[in-house]
Amino acid sequence: MNNTIHVKNQEMINAFLLFFVIHTIQVGVGIHGFQRVIYQDAKQDAWISVLLVGIATHIIAIIMIKTLEIYGSNDLYGIHQDIFGKWFGNFLNLLYVLYCSTAFFSVLRNYIEVVQTWVFPNLSTWFISATLLLIVIYAFTGGLRVIVGISFFSFVLSIWLLPMLVYPLQFTSARSLLPIMETDIIGILKGAQSMTFTIAGFEILNVIYPFIKDKNKVQKHVHFGLLATTIIYLSVILVSITYFSPEQLNKSIWATLTLFSIVQFPFIERFEYIAVCFWMLVILPNLCLYLWAAYRGSIRLVKVNSTKFIWLFSVVIFMLSISIETRTQINAVNTYFSKVGFYVIFVYPILIYLLAIMKKKYRTRKEQKI
């Protein structure tokens, strides 16, 4: 292939770091309130939906890796160009760049809303947006290795938040989970589909794969990352179903933050304030990785250096973030992204894999004839 990526050794990362990359990009603003959207479809069987979508991510990850292995050292953007040709391949690349950009915007705007709702109601959208974008710009200019380092520290420094969910356990009732499988399979599957916005992110593998040193270990570390994410979401949904009443769960936009709000210490009265502020460290890898993926696609389309790209990208995102203000508008963006994301994450990789196999067989037969 003419468009194979040649990565310098100093730009590559070890495979074990994929655990942190995959896990941190999946756990972001979605975990604040994913319970309500799933519960509306699957009721007390929502935990089954979470389990199913967790299994689905492992299956899709296997398919993604098999596709990438066919091409050796190339990303999805190069695979598009090889399978579909220059023009249509670049059109698909443009759509994928837009997808990554929309994901970036969704994470940023949702976090701004959470900050304004829970901690600083009078703080302007433009101020929070500009502050976050400047932090992301600084991280992005350090390159992929810096972004991966942020993912590592985001995981290590935020892992202490999870045990805080043990506190609400004293007020839970396991009977809320019964009867099991009362919801029909359609409802459970709809619940799993509604989880797309929350579980999205592991598709970054399509772009980061050429930058992995020991590619034979990719499979293992990706699945460890996905497993860790599934365990966390499963734990949160089980605590939520057994803690909240059905009416409360249907109305709670940010059920996880509500769970944090009952955590009390003698020296801290409003623990959720700390959780929301600390969450900036959690969403930072989300933003940096989606931005980096969008940049990798953009340089396949036009000749642009990283400095020009990051400033242009940031201005556009900043303008969008201040133009979308209401909960209805933000929810519409989330819903739209979730619907599109479902096909991008869970359907498209299967199609690409089948086409890559056909292309490989065609190329092999052609070479044998020669």
Side-chain angles (χ1 to χ4, degrees):
M1 287 180 62
N2 295 326
N3 53 4
T4 299
I5 297 175
H6 300 287
V7 183
K8 296 177 182 175
N9 193 46
Q10 60 266 30
E11 295 175 336
M12 302 186 87
I13 61 172
N14 291 313
F16 79 92
L17 290 169
L18 276 177
F19 169 83
F20 302 102
V21 170
I22 297 296
H23 177 67
T24 54
I25 198 173
Q26 283 189 294
V27 179
V29 290
I31 198 172
H32 286 160
F34 73 101
Q35 300 94 323
R36 179 175 61 90
V37 290
I38 303 173
Y39 190 82
Q40 287 173 346
D41 292 318
K43 305 304 176 190
Q44 72 274 14
D45 293 321
W47 65 273
I48 301 176
S49 298
V50 175
L51 196 58
L52 286 178
V53 80
I55 295 170
T57 57
H58 285 277
I59 296 171
I60 295 299
I62 292 171
I63 293 171
M64 282 181 184
I65 293 168
K66 284 189 175 297
T67 306
L68 292 162
E69 284 175 346
I70 292 174
Y71 285 87
S73 182
N74 211 337
D75 57 12
L76 183 65
Y77 298 117
I79 295 173
H80 279 162
Q81 291 174 339
D82 181 63
I83 294 177
F84 299 104
K86 181 181 177 183
W87 294 104
F88 191 64
N90 281 341
F91 173 70
L92 293 175
N93 287 344
L94 175 63
L95 294 181
Y96 207 79
V97 169
L98 290 175
Y99 166 78
C100 294
S101 305
T102 306
F104 180 99
F105 174 74
S106 298
V107 173
L108 180 78
R109 194 60 190 85
N110 276 276
Y111 182 68
I112 292 172
E113 186 190 22
V114 168
V115 171
Q116 290 174 326
T117 304
W118 286 81
V119 188
F120 301 114
N122 296 321
L123 205 57
S124 303
T125 301
W126 72 265
F127 179 79
I128 309 175
S129 177
T131 304
L132 289 170
L133 284 170
L134 285 173
I135 296 171
V136 173
I137 289 171
Y138 181 70
F140 175 80
T141 52
L144 177 63
R145 291 166 71 98
V146 170
I147 295 173
V148 174
I150 292 172
S151 300
F152 172 78
F153 283 108
S154 171
F155 174 82
V156 172
L157 297 178
S158 61
I159 193 68
W160 62 274
L161 283 167
L162 187 61
M164 293 299 111
L165 293 175
V166 173
Y167 192 89
L169 280 178
Q170 59 186 309
F171 307 110
T172 59
S173 170
R175 284 182 297 180
S176 299
L177 296 170
L178 303 175
I180 295 173
M181 290 297 292
E182 187 184 48
T183 310
D184 58 35
I185 189 66
I186 300 297
I188 292 173
L189 291 176
K190 281 184 177 178
Q193 185 177 358
S194 301
M195 184 85 179
T196 302
F197 176 74
T198 309
I199 208 80
F202 69 100
E203 66 275 12
I204 191 73
L205 182 64
N206 282 320
V207 187
I208 205 171
Y209 183 82
F211 293 81
I212 308 300
K213 279 183 187 173
D214 36 356
K215 291 184 173 56
N216 58 321
K217 297 178 182 176
V218 165
Q219 193 91 250
K220 178 175 68 175
H221 297 292
V222 166
H223 287 297
F224 280 152
L226 293 171
L227 180 63
T229 304
T230 303
I231 291 172
I232 287 177
Y233 281 122
L234 194 58
S235 304
V236 174
I237 192 70
L238 285 171
V239 173
S240 302
I241 294 172
T242 53
Y243 176 80
F244 293 105
S245 68
E247 292 77 17
Q248 288 174 321
L249 207 49
N250 271 319
K251 294 178 181 176
S252 297
I253 299 176
W254 297 289
T256 305
L257 293 177
T258 306
L259 289 175
F260 280 135
S261 69
I262 68 167
V263 178
Q264 290 184 339
F265 296 103
F267 51 93
I268 300 174
E269 187 174 352
R270 300 295 300 269
F271 179 77
E272 72 273 20
Y273 283 11
I274 295 176
V276 170
C277 295
F278 203 85
W279 218 261
M280 190 189 76
L281 187 62
V282 176
I283 67 157
L284 195 54
N286 291 215
L287 298 174
C288 292
L289 287 165
Y290 276 127
L291 171 60
W292 180 79
Y295 170 66
R296 294 299 308 174
S298 297
I299 58 176
R300 294 273 189 164
L301 299 171
V302 291
K303 289 183 179 179
V304 58
N305 62 45
S306 59
T307 305
K308 287 182 180 176
F309 171 80
I310 183 62
W311 284 107
L312 180 62
F313 181 90
S314 299
V315 169
V316 172
I317 293 294
F318 177 76
M319 298 303 292
L320 284 173
S321 65
I322 60 175
S323 62
I324 293 181
E325 282 287 340
T326 66
R327 167 103 278 270
T328 305
Q329 290 174 319
I330 296 170
N331 198 45
V333 172
N334 293 343
T335 304
Y336 171 75
F337 175 74
S338 184
K339 288 180 179 176
V340 174
F342 174 77
Y343 293 101
V344 172
I345 297 169
F346 293 105
V347 179
Y348 191 57
I350 300 173
L351 175 64
I352 286 292
Y353 176 59
L354 294 175
L355 291 174
I357 290 177
M358 291 169 64
K359 183 81 178 183
K360 183 182 177 183
K361 287 183 177 177
Y362 170 77
R363 187 174 288 139
T364 304
R365 287 177 185 172
K366 193 176 178 181
E367 288 173 354
Q368 287 174 346
K369 286 180 181 178
I370 295 173

